[in-house]
Amino acid sequence: MTEKPVPLTPAEVFVPIQNLPSAPIIFFEFCPTLGNNNGLINIMLAAGLVMPTGGPGTETIPVAVAHLRCTSSSAVQLRDALSKALELGATFEAPKGRAN
């Protein structure tokens, strides 16, 4: 009979991350392209840049803000993290119904 492995404590699982203050913040609004090349995931992140026109209005121009590249296993981790973040946000959504 095999023994069950001892579960790790949170301190044993946590990996300290270096250079936190210098990491960029990436804001995007949509993903216009994506692909998978032999397990290497690639996704373009883009946002709409509002530019003035020659007249009284503005024009929204789509611009690339980042090219995300990752392995299949890290893409699964990212998907899981996004799902968990969406679940957290769902608990704080405003109640639906008539506005005051």
Side-chain angles (χ1 to χ4, degrees), residues 20-60:
L20 286 176
S22 63
I25 296 172
I26 300 171
F27 174 82
F28 71 99
E29 296 172 305
F30 55 99
C31 303
T33 63
L34 57 94
N36 184 327
N37 186 10
N38 294 321
L40 181 64
I41 307 298
N42 60 76
I43 303 170
M44 181 189 299
L45 307 179
L49 183 62
V50 179
M51 298 291 292
T53 62
T58 59
E59 181 179 6
T60 302

Side-chain angles (χ1 to χ4, degrees), residues 16-95:
I17 306 299
Q18 302 297 316
N19 299 326
L20 286 176
S22 63
I25 296 172
I26 300 171
F27 174 82
F28 71 99
E29 296 172 305
F30 55 99
C31 303
T33 63
L34 57 94
N36 184 327
N37 186 10
N38 294 321
L40 181 64
I41 307 298
N42 60 76
I43 303 170
M44 181 189 299
L45 307 179
L49 183 62
V50 179
M51 298 291 292
T53 62
T58 59
E59 181 179 6
T60 302
I61 310 290
V63 296
V65 296
H67 300 278
L68 180 64
R69 301 285 189 271
C70 59
T71 63
S72 294
S73 61
S74 59
V76 169
Q77 288 182 16
L78 177 61
R79 180 192 62 202
D80 293 345
L82 288 170
S83 293
K84 290 175 185 175
L86 287 168
E87 287 174 14
L88 287 173
T91 61
F92 297 108
E93 286 184 13

